[in-house]
Amino acid sequence: MVTIKDIARDVGVSPSTVSRALSGSPLISDETGKRVRMAAQRLGYERNELARALVKGSSEAIGLIIPDITNTFFADIARGVGEVADAAGYGVILCNTNGSIDREASYIRLLRRKQVDGLILATATLNDPSTRSLSQTETPFILVSRICQDVDTSYVIGDDRAGARLAVEHLIGLGHRSIGFIGGPANVQSSRDRRATYRKVLRQHGLSADAAWVCYADFTQTAGREAGRRMLSLENRPTAIFAANDVTALGVLEAADELGLSVPEDLSLVGYDDISYASLPRIQLTTVSQPTFEMGRLATEWLLSVLSSGDTIPLYRVLEPHLVVRSTTTHPGTDD
Amino acid sequence: MVTIKDIARDVGVSPSTVSRALSGSPLISDETGKRVRMAAQRLGYERNELARALVKGSSEAIGLIIPDITNTFFADIARGVGEVADAAGYGVILCNTNGSIDREASYIRLLRRKQVDGLILATATLNDPSTRSLSQTETPFILVSRICQDVDTSYVIGDDRAGARLAVEHLIGLGHRSIGFIGGPANVQSSRDRRATYRKVLRQHGLSADAAWVCYADFTQTAGREAGRRMLSLENRPTAIFAANDVTALGVLEAADELGLSVPEDLSLVGYDDISYASLPRIQLTTVSQPTFEMGRLATEWLLSVLSSGDTIPLYRVLEPHLVVRSTTTHPGTDD
DNA sequence: TTGTATGCGTTATCAG
DNA sequence: CTGATAACGCATACAA
């Protein structure tokens, strides 16, 4: 490894001069500056960011923790984060917990030990000990897409109540009176909000849901398929299902096909997120769209501004969703 | 930030003793060890990995560079990498180039400056200056999924020729005689291999392809849709298309639907990769499956073994693909 | 404009 | 078993 000492020796100046020249300090003669830069180039010098971070007290890196990298919803958030971090010269360390709360905790510890300047979490849950303990540290962080109600932190999320209302009212507006709900993990706030709103809207319209029409899955396709199979095998199956995210909805679609039910003729289906696959011609999933990429952008912009300004003005940002009506929803069948 | 000095002061020993105790050195009395660990716990000490890496000359982190994080193919590779890196206590810094060769180069430089111990690239192209210059450095690295023919490096890839052969012979076996090909970027080796094999297999079966039946896209859905639209609007459109990856195939599916062509009745379609969405009931894409997750695992295992052993025995691993026949392929229509 | 000295937090060497 | 001391590569306050 070639260091500033090597360059110093080569050029015949002191290491500090090299350091200054390379970081573009104004108090270096053009002559010296040029010679140093040329030597650096020639010797193939690359600055050791570790050493630099150690003395500057800042690594110019942020951590991003997501629950499921194969869900394009989170991949899109990551793209948003990457775009603005990149532009600011910050590195981002992306960690994927696969939904494990233990991994989340250990990643947070690892990232803090690696001295990231800040953290973005897309993995927050209710009573999340990780989020809580993070809030006791100096490390600035922000939650994206999922919040932790009981801890006061900055966040950028979608309006889940509004989104769920759009979904359910769309189904009711089509004439459905028996509507099922397949949610996400019970300890995810947005999951609960969508469920609570689902219940509330039904009630407001004088409808009620059979106990078997409401269940929690875990935001994966497999869980959606299984929940869908159960629910659609019921004697009194619902004529419509609101799935708490698109991946789950895709699983329900799978279950419906297996059971020989046509969508939307026999079953109307609404998802949530509007991931790219929802718009595939063969899928054409009616869904609630969230500005995913934008969430990543906004969260990162806030974090970087905190890092550069030093003062932490909290950000509580709730983005509006909108309904995208495609082909998986229609009026309930005549046999209803 | 609490450092070993703080602990040393608290316990009344020297910093070196604290360092030893915390890293589980055997030459520390049980008594001292216990007191140090308790103090560390109480004060909320977290080791500064930057400082540690600086002196140890190893950051215990590796870099992973992928071209498209929203393509689950690469997301799965990343999962494989993460799994084995995690288990070994290594951190992984994931970078997404969005297909830009410039970003690839700058990420490589950034990661090297951050002193990653090794690199995994899923972004290699033909005559890739990044790969070439990397091979001149000390940093161990391995290519995954995409190789760079003109540089001698370790790699873990799929057998693209075998895979393409499976795809094309499947179509020919079904009776297709006019088969189109929509490839990936021209500077990606696997792209070229699939295309070359496509041509070769056609020739071996006494078939030829109209010039308009062969084109390069860029492995995205949008490009697939556009290429599909063009190709399927031809007077003498092919009765089957081999798309060089699933995402492209999904785009072709979109184009077919827009043009009112039924798949597989009017058009047989084969993809490549077998990403999770290919098996959706509404999609049921016939495709060539690659052991994606395994690629990530194997590449990482090799890299970590190089890092721990010190000697670089190259790895040239070619994984066998297999054909998954689903519902997007059938015999050509009678109007053919 | 440049050089010297010091420190960032940790580990390692060498005495004791 | 423990404590000074040096070193990792870089940046900066202070001197010159």
Side-chain angles (χ1 to χ4, degrees):
Chain A
M1 164 187 271
V2 26
T3 73
I4 53 174
K5 283 187 188 170
D6 299 318
I7 301 177
R9 199 176 317 119
D10 185 278
V11 180
V13 294
S14 78
S16 13
T17 302
V18 175
S19 172
R20 278 188 281 250
L22 258 27
S23 51
S25 162
L27 8 91
I28 286 287
S29 73
D30 289 359
E31 171 60 14
T32 316
K34 183 169 295 179
R35 283 173 55 213
V36 168
R37 278 189 297 275
M38 292 200 59
Q41 174 86 36
R42 179 162 43 79
L43 300 177
Y45 170 78
E46 295 277 6
R47 175 164 70 193
N48 184 326
E49 299 289 349
L50 257 40
R52 172 173 223 249
L54 186 60
V55 36
K56 306 244 335 176
S58 156
S59 61
E60 306 234 309
I62 61 176
L64 169 63
I65 305 185
I66 62 177
D68 182 6
I69 193 177
T70 62
N71 185 337
T72 55
F73 174 74
F74 294 108
D76 271 325
I77 289 181
R79 278 181 48 238
V81 171
E83 185 173 289
V84 354
D86 256 37
Y90 270 75
V92 15
I93 307 184
L94 176 58
C95 301
N96 176 226
T97 66
N98 272 334
S100 155
I101 199 164
D102 290 339
R103 282 205 191 194
E104 179 193 5
S106 71
Y107 276 135
I108 290 177
R109 288 191 45 211
L110 178 64
L111 290 170
R112 295 196 63 239
R113 290 205 311 259
K114 289 208 180 271
Q115 311 298 122
V116 292
D117 294 339
L119 238 28
I120 300 178
L121 303 188
T123 47
T125 53
L126 264 55
N127 296 309
D128 190 348
S130 299
T131 308
R132 177 176 295 285
S133 66
L134 236 193
S135 68
Q136 322 260 17
T137 72
E138 296 287 271
T139 311
F141 73 103
I142 183 168
L143 307 182
V144 63
S145 143
R146 297 183 176 182
I147 58 173
C148 179
Q149 279 281 33
D150 45 321
V151 182
D152 179 39
T153 63
S154 289
Y155 55 74
V156 177
I157 57 172
D159 188 335
D160 292 301
R161 294 175 182 276
R165 176 171 293 274
L166 288 172
V168 179
E169 289 188 338
H170 169 62
L171 291 171
I172 293 174
L174 286 170
H176 291 275
R177 300 188 55 80
S178 30
I179 301 172
F181 175 78
I182 298 179
N187 62 352
V188 170
Q189 182 66 40
S190 61
S191 206
R192 296 172 78 103
D193 284 349
R194 291 173 198 175
R195 180 167 179 262
T197 304
Y198 153 81
R199 286 191 180 287
K200 183 174 175 186
V201 173
L202 284 193
R203 207 167 43 239
Q204 288 175 339
H205 288 263
L207 301 175
S208 65
D210 192 288
W213 292 353
V214 182
C215 70
Y216 283 118
D218 69 352
F219 277 159
T220 66
Q221 191 176 331
T222 310
R225 189 179 59 223
E226 280 162 17
R229 264 204 285 253
R230 269 196 311 280
M231 201 175 290
L232 295 174
S233 303
L234 294 171
E235 289 256 334
N236 63 335
R237 61 174 175 77
T239 62
I241 290 180
F242 171 34
N245 80 343
D246 284 354
V247 175
T248 302
L250 259 21
V252 175
L253 214 49
E254 229 178 318
D257 282 23
E258 284 174 12
L259 296 171
L261 297 172
S262 320
V263 176
E265 292 78 9
D266 302 322
L267 173 75
S268 279
L269 181 63
V270 182
Y272 208 109
D273 288 347
D274 196 22
I275 61 177
S276 56
Y277 299 101
S279 61
L280 284 172
R282 300 295 191 89
I283 305 287
Q284 288 297 319
L285 180 67
T286 293
T287 187
V288 178
S289 176
Q290 303 201 72
T292 323
F293 185 80
E294 192 63 11
M295 283 184 183
R297 284 186 51 93
L298 290 172
T300 313
E301 278 167 4
W302 176 85
L303 185 57
L304 295 186
S305 87
V306 167
L307 294 179
S308 67
S309 73
D311 46 34
T312 310
I313 300 155
L315 177 72
Y316 309 109
R317 190 70 184 272
V318 181
L319 270 26
E320 281 313 296
H322 66 272
L323 183 71
V324 180
V325 179
R326 295 204 182 91
S327 315
T328 57
T329 48
T330 189
H331 303 284
T334 48
D335 59 315
D336 190 49
Chain B
M1 164 185 271
V2 28
T3 73
I4 53 173
K5 284 186 188 171
D6 300 318
I7 300 177
R9 200 176 317 118
D10 185 278
V11 180
V13 292
S14 76
S16 352
T17 300
V18 174
S19 173
R20 277 189 283 250
L22 258 26
S23 52
S25 161
L27 7 89
I28 284 285
S29 74
D30 290 357
E31 171 60 15
T32 316
K34 183 169 295 180
R35 282 173 55 212
V36 168
R37 278 189 297 275
M38 292 199 59
Q41 174 83 39
R42 178 162 44 78
L43 300 176
Y45 170 78
E46 294 277 5
R47 175 165 69 196
N48 184 327
E49 300 288 349
L50 256 41
R52 172 173 223 247
L54 186 59
V55 35
K56 306 258 312 188
S58 155
S59 61
E60 307 234 309
I62 61 176
L64 169 62
I65 305 184
I66 61 177
D68 182 6
I69 193 178
T70 61
N71 185 336
T72 54
F73 175 74
F74 294 108
D76 271 324
I77 289 180
R79 279 181 48 239
V81 170
E83 185 172 287
V84 354
D86 257 36
Y90 270 74
V92 14
I93 307 183
L94 176 57
C95 301
N96 177 225
T97 66
N98 271 335
S100 155
I101 200 165
D102 289 339
R103 282 203 191 196
E104 179 193 5
S106 71
Y107 276 136
I108 290 177
R109 288 191 47 212
L110 178 64
L111 291 171
R112 296 195 63 240
R113 290 204 311 260
K114 288 205 180 272
Q115 310 298 120
V116 292
D117 294 338
L119 239 28
I120 301 177
L121 303 188
T123 46
T125 52
L126 263 54
N127 296 309
D128 189 349
S130 300
T131 307
R132 177 175 295 285
S133 66
L134 237 192
S135 68
Q136 321 258 18
T137 72
E138 296 287 271
T139 310
F141 73 104
I142 183 168
L143 307 182
V144 63
S145 142
R146 297 182 176 183
I147 58 173
C148 180
Q149 279 281 34
D150 45 322
V151 181
D152 179 39
T153 64
S154 289
Y155 56 73
V156 177
I157 57 172
D159 188 335
D160 292 301
R161 294 175 182 277
R165 176 171 291 275
L166 287 171
V168 180
E169 289 191 336
H170 168 63
L171 291 172
I172 293 174
L174 286 170
H176 291 276
R177 300 188 54 80
S178 30
I179 301 172
F181 174 79
I182 299 179
N187 62 352
V188 170
Q189 183 64 42
S190 62
S191 207
R192 296 173 77 103
D193 284 348
R194 292 173 197 174
R195 179 167 180 262
T197 303
Y198 153 81
R199 286 191 180 287
K200 184 173 174 186
V201 173
L202 284 193
R203 207 166 45 240
Q204 287 174 340
H205 288 262
L207 301 175
S208 65
D210 191 289
W213 293 353
V214 182
C215 69
Y216 283 117
D218 68 353
F219 277 159
T220 67
Q221 191 175 329
T222 310
R225 188 178 61 223
E226 280 162 17
R229 264 204 285 252
R230 269 196 310 280
M231 202 176 289
L232 295 174
S233 304
L234 295 170
E235 290 254 335
N236 63 335
R237 60 173 176 79
T239 61
I241 289 179
F242 170 34
N245 79 345
D246 284 353
V247 176
T248 303
L250 259 21
V252 175
L253 213 49
E254 228 177 317
D257 282 23
E258 284 174 12
L259 296 171
L261 297 172
S262 320
V263 176
E265 292 77 11
D266 301 324
L267 173 75
S268 280
L269 181 62
V270 182
Y272 208 109
D273 288 346
D274 195 22
I275 62 177
S276 57
Y277 298 100
S279 62
L280 285 173
R282 299 296 191 87
I283 305 288
Q284 287 298 318
L285 181 67
T286 293
T287 187
V288 178
S289 175
Q290 303 201 70
T292 324
F293 185 79
E294 193 64 11
M295 283 183 181
R297 284 185 51 92
L298 290 171
T300 314
E301 279 167 3
W302 176 85
L303 185 57
L304 295 185
S305 86
V306 167
L307 293 180
S308 66
S309 74
D311 46 34
T312 310
I313 301 156
L315 177 71
Y316 309 110
R317 189 70 184 271
V318 181
L319 270 24
E320 281 314 297
H322 66 273
L323 184 72
V324 180
V325 178
R326 296 203 182 92
S327 315
T328 56
T329 48
T330 189
H331 303 283
T334 49
D335 61 315
D336 191 46

